[in-house]
């Protein structure tokens, strides 16, 4: 009798971060072969059945040395806050590029941790489908938009399957007003990742990484996005409006404080710059806000 071929492992980048830690523990529990990677070794005990390899995402050779026999790559490694472009470029942009090339070499699918900050300059009074315009709210959001477009390019050109999860606020529980719309529970994150790993015809998808929140701004159409079950509303009574809600730029846009970082548009009003004021001419609808 021949032994069954062991399943090819899943690679998890960003394993030392908060979401990496959560995924490592939860996915290993299912008995899945997992390889973890990050710049620095995790501060937690490695779950049974996992092993860790250190690698800098910005170092192409180090990434390609991670091996080429993965069934899937969960790409959660990145700088996760707004920073100067120079700090974002190497890990998030060059890093994503290296990971997608590793996925090509492995013939692996990629589950990419994108972010709501790729569409963060959308107003809070609009409801968005997955195919809405990209409206990054900073260099971090721009790097996530780049990752989504990289996924699209590698599907069209190389047939590489991917799921870009546009994650809202993946925290244990909502702590601010905005989270009542953007919250993604830990359980729902795991459900989304599992659904992406298991889907027989993944293709190239963008899916909202948000729980089934009563106040959600994002409308799921993709079946993968519909596996979520939790609702932030049960925490509504305990959530208070923080300082961010008093700031007009943060409170107007879905990306919140990321939008306010470095914002100076009001000093350079398009109405004045382009002479729209007083001409009686309607401003082009897609550029008004
Ligand atoms: C993100 O993408 C960030 O990584 C995280 O730090 C939060 O800011 C989150 O979005 C959010 O929008 O709440």
């Amino acid at each position: 009798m021949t032994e069954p071929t062991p399943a090819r492992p899943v690679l998890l980048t960003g394993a030392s971060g908060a979401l990496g830690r959560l995924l490592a523990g939860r996915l290993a529990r299912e008995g899945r072969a997992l390889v973890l990677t990050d710049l620095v070794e995790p501060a937690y005990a490695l779950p049974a059945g996992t092993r860790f390899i250190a690698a800098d995402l910005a170092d192409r050779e180090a990434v390609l040395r991670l091996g080429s026999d993965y069934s899937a790559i969960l790409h959660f490694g990145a700088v996760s806050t707004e920073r100067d472009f120079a700090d974002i470029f190497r890990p998030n942009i060059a890093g994503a590029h290296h990971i997608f090339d590793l996925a090509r070499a492995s013939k692996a699918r990629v589950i990419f941790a994108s972010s709501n900050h790729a569409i963060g300059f959308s107003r809070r009074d609009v409801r968005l489908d997955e195919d809405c315009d990209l409206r990054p709210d900073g260099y971090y959001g721009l790097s996530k938009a780049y990752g989504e477009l990289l996924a699209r390019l590698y599907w069209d050109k190389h047939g590489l399957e991917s799921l870009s999860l546009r994650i809202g606020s993946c925290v244990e529980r909502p702590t601010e007003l905005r989270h009542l719309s953007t919250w993604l529970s830990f359980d729902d994150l795991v459900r989304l990742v599992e659904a992406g790993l298991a889907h027989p015809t993944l293709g190239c998808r963008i899916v909202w990484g948000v729980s089934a929140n009563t106040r959600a701004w994002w409308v799921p159409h993709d079946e993968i996005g519909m596996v979520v079950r939790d609702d932030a509303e049960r925490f509504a009574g305990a959530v208070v409006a923080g300082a961010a809600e008093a700031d007009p730029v943060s409170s107007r846009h879905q990306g919140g404080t990321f939008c306010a970082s470095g914002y100076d548009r009001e000093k350079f009003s398009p109405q004045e710059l382009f002479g729209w004021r007083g001409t009686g001419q309607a401003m082009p609808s897609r550029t008004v806000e």
Side-chain angles (χ1 to χ4, degrees):
M1 230 172 60
T2 51
E3 291 282 312
T5 324
R8 297 194 301 151
V10 171
L11 177 70
L12 170 64
T13 75
S16 302
L19 298 188
R21 177 184 189 149
L22 170 86
L23 288 172
R26 297 286 286 273
L27 298 179
R29 232 192 266 167
E30 308 303 320
R32 197 175 271 111
L34 263 186
V35 176
L36 312 179
T37 183
D38 207 312
L39 200 53
V40 291
E41 199 153 336
Y44 55 90
L46 294 190
T50 67
R51 66 196 171 91
F52 176 79
I53 310 174
D56 179 355
L57 289 171
D59 179 344
R60 181 177 180 81
E61 297 313 315
V63 169
L64 295 181
R65 275 199 304 273
L66 288 168
S68 59
D69 196 29
Y70 298 108
S71 58
I73 301 180
L74 311 181
H75 183 37
F76 279 68
V79 163
S80 64
T81 53
E82 181 58 355
R83 304 255 191 94
D84 288 344
F85 183 68
D87 297 331
I88 298 277
F89 175 74
R90 281 169 46 81
N92 293 24
I93 295 184
H97 184 202
H98 300 153
I99 288 296
F100 273 77
D101 279 346
L102 178 69
R104 268 186 80 196
S106 268
K107 298 196 175 10
R109 59 177 52 179
V110 177
I111 299 186
F112 170 58
S114 183
S115 165
N116 72 92
H117 295 289
I119 54 87
F121 260 122
S122 308
R123 286 182 60 121
R124 293 190 182 188
D125 55 6
V126 297
R127 298 291 165 269
L128 299 178
D129 298 335
E130 292 93 343
D131 60 359
C132 64
D133 287 344
L134 289 165
R135 299 189 76 165
D137 57 24
Y139 295 121
Y140 168 72
L142 192 59
S143 75
K144 295 299 180 176
Y146 172 84
E148 291 186 9
L149 287 171
L150 186 62
R152 169 53 64 187
L153 171 68
Y154 275 41
W155 168 246
D156 287 339
K157 190 163 271 192
H158 308 300
L160 186 138
E161 289 194 295
S162 64
L163 168 65
S164 294
L165 283 178
R166 247 182 223 155
I167 298 175
S169 307
C170 194
V171 288
E172 194 171 4
R173 54 176 56 215
T175 54
E176 48 187 84
L177 206 57
R178 177 175 166 273
H179 289 169
L180 297 179
S181 302
T182 60
W183 188 53
L184 174 64
S185 73
F186 289 163
D187 286 346
D188 280 339
L189 171 67
V190 175
R191 287 184 187 109
L192 287 166
V193 168
E194 291 280 12
L197 288 173
H199 202 284
T201 52
L202 189 62
C204 175
R205 295 168 191 241
I206 295 172
V207 163
W208 296 115
V210 67
S211 284
N213 302 329
T214 305
R215 304 187 200 192
W217 297 317
W218 309 316
V219 185
H221 293 285
D222 191 289
E223 57 185 321
I224 292 181
M226 293 180 194
V227 301
V228 296
R229 293 198 207 139
D230 294 321
D231 185 346
E233 208 56 26
R234 71 192 155 97
F235 299 101
V239 167
V240 288
E245 295 305 318
D247 173 72
V249 176
S250 304
S251 61
R252 197 186 320 142
H253 298 106
Q254 300 187 355
T257 53
F258 281 52
C259 299
S261 162
Y263 186 93
D264 61 7
R265 186 183 180 190
E266 256 115 49
K267 287 190 204 135
F268 302 99
S269 157
Q271 282 98 329
E272 283 163 14
L273 277 178
F274 303 114
W276 290 333
R277 182 171 290 165
T279 62
Q281 227 182 322
M283 283 188 275
S285 61
R286 287 164 83 90
T287 52
V288 171
E289 245 305 324

